[in-house]
Amino acid sequence: MIEFYYTIMMLGFFTGMLLYSGSIPVSLFSVYTATWFFPEGIPLFLIPIGLRSILAYIIALYLLLNIRKLDEHRKKLFKDILIFILLIIFLFLLIVFFSTQVPISNQLTTIKYTFYYSLTFFLVLFFRKESDYSKYMDFVLFLIIISGIYGVYTYIVGVNPFGDYIIIYLKTLGEQGLGGDFIESERGFLTSRIYGFTVHPLMFGGILVLCTYLMIFRFFHTTSSLKKLVLIIALLFCFILIILTGSRSILIGFLGGILFYTYKHYPFKTIVFLFMILLFYMGGALVIKDEFVRSVLFFWEDNAEFGGSSSSMRFIQLESCLEAVSNDAAWLFGLGHNWSGIYLDKYGNVPPFQGFESILFTKIVNYGIIGSLLYFCFVFYSVKNLVKKYITKKKERNYIYAFILSGLTIALFTGEYYGYKLYLVFIILFINYYLIGLSSNKSDVVIFNKSTILHDKVAKD
């Protein structure tokens, strides 16, 4: 009966957000975001296609009916996003032509789903006013609270009933190393690892990091003291949850991005802070005994007493991926789209690839060396240029760069399964936020910073 409850829940999310926000785009994107807080692959009740495919069809229809309503700034961004997506699709078609092992029909199906997902990039352009963002973020905070409270509950009682049921219901997840005994896994001072309603601590941790950046973003653009207090409490809760996932990669990725942002704006204080960390490292090497803390501080070292992937294991994975594309044709453009996924479905999470625990590993086997270089160039060079083009304020631009750095670090450490697609859409969501201030003066437009408010007032006077 999980299909029935899942379908009712998602319909409830859409209906509730539609009534709360009064915006179809906000409601659709809220449901899409909610899917990342639950295991992928839960079927809908009496409906033969997946929820994300249904969302794609609805979003496509909405875009066709409303694209002309975009203002000039968003139309410009729409064109830039379209060029970005076409570049990626061109690369993917090139890989189909040159790849060696995956049937063309299978690869075209993968490209189709990539196109479906890319529609969410355009959907967030229809967030047109501040209230769209605040109500969407209220929903995200609701998801964090519900899944976080459940995660803390599982940590206290030492069992995850929902996770256990999902693994029984969707057996392929267990075969891929998801769910299972994570709740019983001890890491240093942690007596368990939480994963909310997902099937892996990395999945839950990855989504938490994305949403934590979203909450910080909202904190920066909130003037209400009460809301700031609520957000501070929410941020502390998020940080506690991230720690309780017991995921070093997630924590390192998150802190790395935050450190980058603080260095860009407080270089002297950051240098002093880094010096203190260095002293802590030197002392920690001698006195810190907790294995989890040591594994975060000295993440490059192998730790026989600590579970999870070691540096030597990742080196073996990289070596195996390079060997898999060692012949001339595969070296250029890989074995084909989703070869890594097909391998996991067939053999499970086993050596030597051990789940392809980095986006770099999956891209190498799927796209080859040249294809991987082109992919990272097309994606990350393009989004960096979009941020630089549309965000003029240095502080705000650097915050998005910090977000990009965190997401990329997590993907390089863990793979693209843990919120990667939502992460890319969030970049466009951040950019679109600043376009509101460039829109023509209308009653529903909100300007977000004091200098712009003053300029707008003087212009009207």
Side-chain angles (χ1 to χ4, degrees), residues 181-182 184-190 192-193 200-202 245-250 252 290-296 298-314 317 349 354 357 413-414:
D181 300 327
F182 290 110
E184 300 173 3
S185 175
E186 295 185 12
R187 289 196 162 187
F189 67 91
L190 297 176
S192 179
R193 298 181 67 189
H200 200 290
L202 287 174
T245 64
S247 301
R248 294 167 294 172
S249 304
I250 299 297
I252 292 168
D290 186 86
E291 296 302 329
F292 178 63
V293 176
R294 287 186 63 86
S295 69
V296 174
F298 309 101
F299 62 89
W300 57 85
E301 295 182 353
D302 289 346
N303 190 325
E305 298 181 17
F306 188 83
S309 301
S310 63
S311 56
S312 59
M313 184 187 296
R314 292 184 187 277
Q317 292 178 52
N349 186 12
Q354 202 73 44
E357 295 178 308
F413 271 119
T414 65

Side-chain angles (χ1 to χ4, degrees), residues 85-146:
I85 291 171
L86 289 177
L87 276 174
I88 301 299
I89 296 297
F90 169 76
L91 172 61
F92 285 180
L93 291 174
L94 195 65
I95 289 165
V96 170
F97 181 78
F98 283 102
S99 59
T100 59
Q101 292 193 18
V102 181
I104 291 178
S105 59
N106 189 301
Q107 296 193 63
L108 291 178
T109 299
T110 301
I111 295 175
K112 178 185 71 173
Y113 286 120
T114 299
F115 174 74
Y116 285 173
Y117 143 71
S118 69
L119 294 174
T120 55
F121 284 89
F122 302 110
L123 180 67
V124 297
L125 299 183
F126 289 87
F127 281 51
R128 297 174 178 172
K129 48 191 178 181
E130 191 274 342
S131 61
D132 289 342
Y133 277 84
S134 63
K135 290 176 179 178
Y136 168 70
M137 291 182 187
D138 286 343
F139 179 72
V140 172
L141 183 57
F142 165 77
L143 291 173
I144 293 171
I145 292 172
I146 296 300

Side-chain angles (χ1 to χ4, degrees), residues 98 100 131 156 162 170 172-173 179 243 252 271 275 306 402 405 410 426 434 436 458:
F98 283 102
T100 59
S131 61
I156 293 172
F162 180 81
L170 299 174
T172 55
L173 296 177
I243 291 176
I252 292 168
I271 290 172
F275 179 73
F306 188 83
L405 177 62
I410 291 172
F426 270 8
Y434 294 105
I436 295 175
V458 171

Side-chain angles (χ1 to χ4, degrees), residues 397-415:
R397 185 193 302 165
N398 284 333
Y399 182 76
I400 303 178
Y401 286 160
F403 176 78
I404 293 173
L405 177 62
S406 279
L408 178 58
T409 301
I410 291 172
L412 288 172
F413 271 119
T414 65

Side-chain angles (χ1 to χ4, degrees), residues 252-308:
I252 292 168
F254 173 64
L255 295 178
I258 296 298
L259 189 62
F260 167 84
Y261 178 76
T262 55
Y263 174 74
K264 283 294 185 179
H265 296 283
Y266 311 101
F268 178 74
K269 292 181 179 179
T270 305
I271 290 172
V272 172
F273 179 68
L274 289 174
F275 179 73
M276 293 174 64
I277 289 178
L278 179 61
L279 293 178
F280 183 61
Y281 259 54
M282 293 172 64
L286 299 174
V287 302
I288 292 178
K289 302 300 181 183
D290 186 86
E291 296 302 329
F292 178 63
V293 176
R294 287 186 63 86
S295 69
V296 174
L297 294 177
F298 309 101
F299 62 89
W300 57 85
E301 295 182 353
D302 289 346
N303 190 325
E305 298 181 17
F306 188 83

Side-chain angles (χ1 to χ4, degrees), residues 274-392:
L274 289 174
F275 179 73
M276 293 174 64
I277 289 178
L278 179 61
L279 293 178
F280 183 61
Y281 259 54
M282 293 172 64
L286 299 174
V287 302
I288 292 178
K289 302 300 181 183
D290 186 86
E291 296 302 329
F292 178 63
V293 176
R294 287 186 63 86
S295 69
V296 174
L297 294 177
F298 309 101
F299 62 89
W300 57 85
E301 295 182 353
D302 289 346
N303 190 325
E305 298 181 17
F306 188 83
S309 301
S310 63
S311 56
S312 59
M313 184 187 296
R314 292 184 187 277
F315 181 78
I316 292 172
Q317 292 178 52
L318 175 60
E319 193 176 50
S320 301
C321 290
L322 291 173
E323 185 178 348
V325 294
S326 57
N327 69 69
D328 293 339
W331 178 262
L332 293 175
F333 291 103
L335 304 174
H337 291 284
N338 199 38
W339 184 89
S340 58
I342 295 171
Y343 181 93
L344 283 174
D345 288 340
K346 185 175 181 179
Y347 299 106
N349 186 12
V350 296
F353 298 111
Q354 202 73 44
F356 302 95
E357 295 178 308
S358 171
I359 188 175
L360 179 62
F361 301 161
T362 58
K363 297 311 175 190
I364 287 175
V365 294
N366 293 343
Y367 304 159
I369 302 302
I370 301 301
S372 297
L373 290 173
L374 289 174
Y375 174 83
F376 284 108
C377 179
F378 286 171
V379 172
F380 290 98
Y381 182 75
S382 297
V383 295
K384 180 181 180 297
N385 281 345
L386 284 177
V387 174
K388 185 176 181 180
K389 180 177 181 179
Y390 288 95
I391 309 300
T392 58

